[in-house]
Amino acid sequence: MKPDLAPYFNHLDQTDLAQVHGRVVDVIGLVVEGMGVDAPTGTICRIEANGTEEGIRAEVVGFRSNRILLMPYGEVRGIRPGARITPQGGRARAAVGEGLLGRVIDGLGRPLDGKGPLSCNRFYPLYGQGTNPLDRPRISQPVDVGVRAINGLLTMGKGQRLGIFAGSGVGKSTLLSMIARNTSADVSVVGLIGERGREVKEFIDRDLGREGLKRSVVVAATSDQPPLIRMRGAYLATTVAEYFRDQAKDVVLMVDSMTRFSMAGREVGLAVGEPPTTKGYTPSVFAHLPKILERAGTSQSGGSISGVYTVLVEGDDLNDPIADAMRSILDGHVVLTRQLAEQNHYPAVDVLKSISRLMPDVVTPEHGASAQAFRRLLAVYRRNEDLINIGAYVKGSNPEIDRALRMMPEFNAYLRQPVDLPARLEEAVTRLSVLMAEGDRPEAAQEAKAGEEA
């Protein structure tokens, strides 16, 4: 049996035989300035610090004149003038392997669940490698996410990137948990980026559950972590998803949220002196978004990464800079509205404001026709909703409005779904077809009218 020498080669690749040291000359906010170190951006360094034997790990994020700029992965407390800076060699990499399944790790890849060390013997580049777009197979198969509104009306393909857009408290994380628990994908990778610390435990115990965790990897970089670790957490989750994709598995990658990832990028950019632009976001933030989002998709290995990314819309403004940039990159978006949430309509998916750009490529013509008819009637009702509510519309004046008015209770029942009750793709499609077929029957209108007269 041929021995696996990959771990040893990776270790040698990460080792510098000649050690070169530098010194700390300044600390300003989150940035450490040093001299005497010749290291490219992205290099991991170790900085001596009082009170710790291991020192503080930091990443090279830029240069200013003849000085190197580093951002620590931890607190800057304990760093003194003249402290030694030692490059650790090589660019940032992540340990990956089958041993990650069922584990919870932080943004640096360290276990948080108390289950012992990770058994990973391979390393992937944290910031990915470029992929020839012509090497990616076309997306042609649907993926079951267990949510009826998405499966039936916004069908997602294997390898598609979908965004969930909503303001605070409207149900983004809850919808994400439904997808994580009910998806038919082989592996779920969940990145909790910049979220509240208490939500990590709640998500694992309440939303994922024991069975869901067995086929999942959770990367948690909470809001109290330094900005570079929050950014690194999103990249780490994507790297882990790439490993399982290369094993010919279908992966659903969920990142909550890309807005907080962008906020962390803004903190890093402003700290190293980048000029602020719209709402203080630096130009590098808008450069990071396509780099991380383009890593999801299909692969010649036979596996795929279907990305689901939540976007916190500030002030419910869908034209927020991050929301606008995300929409332009993603292959579709699901919009959750506060108006529906206030009506206890969950998940609060606004079908008319949402779209899946790849739905026509992954559904049958019959399914597509039913979904279009559903959206058309829902749009008819929304345009005339004010007239209907104040009693200004007289039944019989317009057949389309009459039909939409008659079917709205069934539409709402179709779009509502309990959190703990999955809706399989086949069930969602069949129910949609039956719903639209019954609405087309002439006797349906007569039955409804007879019921009103009775």
Side-chain angles (χ1 to χ4, degrees):
M1 182 177 177
K2 188 177 180 180
D4 182 12
L5 300 179
Y8 303 100
F9 286 119
N10 282 319
H11 183 70
L12 286 173
D13 190 42
Q14 293 285 309
T15 303
D16 276 342
L17 300 180
Q19 287 285 345
V20 179
H21 304 288
R23 297 290 176 179
V24 172
V25 296
D26 209 348
V27 176
I28 302 176
L30 301 175
V31 178
V32 177
E33 296 188 9
M35 294 188 69
V37 179
D38 182 15
T41 56
T43 301
I44 307 301
C45 298
R46 174 184 171 274
I47 304 176
E48 285 183 339
N50 293 335
T52 171
E53 295 181 2
E54 309 84 37
I56 298 174
R57 294 178 68 194
E59 183 175 325
V60 178
V61 293
F63 308 95
R64 182 180 295 131
S65 299
N66 294 323
R67 296 183 176 185
I68 190 171
L69 306 180
L70 303 105
M71 186 159 287
Y73 287 145
E75 296 289 340
V76 296
R77 294 191 186 93
I79 299 177
R80 66 184 187 279
R84 178 180 290 186
I85 302 172
T86 307
Q88 299 295 292
R91 296 180 67 83
R93 295 192 177 191
V96 294
E98 296 292 331
L100 288 172
L101 285 174
R103 302 301 301 270
V104 183
I105 58 179
D106 65 6
L108 295 175
R110 301 173 300 194
L112 293 173
D113 50 15
K115 296 180 180 179
L118 301 170
S119 56
C120 301
N121 57 6
R122 297 192 62 181
F123 290 87
Y124 270 36
L126 184 69
Y127 299 113
Q129 295 176 337
T131 303
N132 187 336
L134 297 182
D135 290 340
R136 292 186 173 184
R138 289 189 60 184
I139 297 173
S140 58
Q141 297 180 358
V143 59
D144 186 354
V145 297
V147 180
R148 189 182 303 113
I150 298 177
N151 280 342
L153 301 169
L154 304 164
T155 311
M156 186 176 177
K158 289 182 181 179
Q160 182 174 347
R161 300 159 303 173
L162 195 70
I164 299 176
F165 293 70
S168 58
V170 180
K172 297 184 304 300
S173 299
T174 302
L175 180 58
L176 202 71
S177 70
M178 294 173 67
I179 296 174
R181 185 170 56 252
N182 301 324
T183 180
S184 63
D186 300 317
V187 178
S188 297
V189 180
V190 184
L192 302 177
I193 310 302
E195 295 298 313
R196 307 172 187 89
R198 67 168 179 81
E199 289 184 339
V200 177
K201 182 70 171 175
E202 290 177 2
F203 182 88
I204 295 169
D205 293 345
R206 182 190 63 194
D207 299 330
L208 267 184
R210 182 176 299 177
E211 292 302 316
L213 184 60
K214 287 181 180 179
R215 60 185 182 92
S216 302
V217 182
V218 179
V219 180
T222 53
S223 58
D224 60 330
Q225 296 294 311
L228 206 58
I229 291 190
R230 279 177 269 150
M231 294 186 68
R232 187 184 172 96
Y235 281 110
L236 178 58
T238 306
T239 304
V240 171
E242 287 176 332
Y243 166 76
F244 288 106
R245 177 206 61 194
D246 291 345
Q247 311 309 307
K249 294 182 179 180
D250 292 322
V251 183
V252 169
L253 168 65
M254 291 159 281
V255 179
D256 185 16
S257 71
M258 289 302 294
T259 301
R260 292 194 169 97
F261 166 83
S262 301
M263 290 178 176
R266 177 171 61 185
E267 292 181 48
V268 173
L270 292 174
V272 299
E274 276 192 84
T277 56
T278 309
K279 289 196 174 181
Y281 288 105
T282 55
S284 63
V285 171
F286 301 99
H288 281 296
L289 290 178
K291 287 181 180 179
I292 190 170
L293 295 175
E294 284 291 343
R295 292 169 65 179
T298 55
S299 170
Q300 289 185 332
S301 67
S304 65
I305 300 176
S306 303
V308 181
Y309 306 91
T310 68
V311 180
L312 176 63
V313 180
E314 296 184 22
D316 292 345
D317 180 13
L318 290 174
N319 293 318
D320 171 82
I322 299 303
D324 196 43
M326 288 286 293
R327 257 198 324 272
S328 67
I329 303 169
L330 294 170
D331 304 316
H333 51 271
V334 176
V335 177
L336 309 183
T337 61
R338 196 172 302 277
Q339 182 181 7
L340 289 173
E342 290 170 349
Q343 298 171 11
N344 201 31
H345 183 294
Y346 290 105
V349 177
D350 191 325
V351 176
L352 298 182
K353 292 182 179 179
S354 307
I355 190 171
S356 172
R357 294 190 178 111
L358 292 174
M359 181 175 176
D361 297 333
V362 299
V363 301
T364 63
E366 295 78 14
H367 179 188
S370 297
Q372 290 176 6
F374 186 108
R375 295 172 69 98
R376 185 179 67 252
L377 281 178
L378 185 60
V380 168
Y381 179 83
R382 291 280 178 84
R383 284 198 303 268
N384 298 277
E385 188 174 10
D386 291 339
L387 292 176
I388 295 169
N389 289 337
I390 64 176
Y393 174 72
V394 179
K395 290 184 180 179
S397 302
N398 188 307
E400 280 284 287
I401 299 177
D402 290 342
R403 185 182 175 210
L405 184 59
R406 184 178 71 250
M407 297 190 67
M408 275 309 296
E410 294 294 331
F411 282 5
N412 286 329
Y414 183 86
L415 294 173
R416 286 190 172 103
Q417 180 181 340
V419 174
D420 56 351
L421 185 63
R424 301 270 65 95
L425 178 62
E426 296 79 5
E427 180 266 336
V429 174
T430 302
R431 183 170 170 181
L432 177 64
S433 300
V434 172
L435 175 63
M436 300 314 299
E438 289 181 348
D440 284 334
R441 291 190 298 116
E443 57 268 23
Q446 297 175 1
E447 291 171 3
K449 185 176 180 179
E452 292 174 0
E453 292 177 351

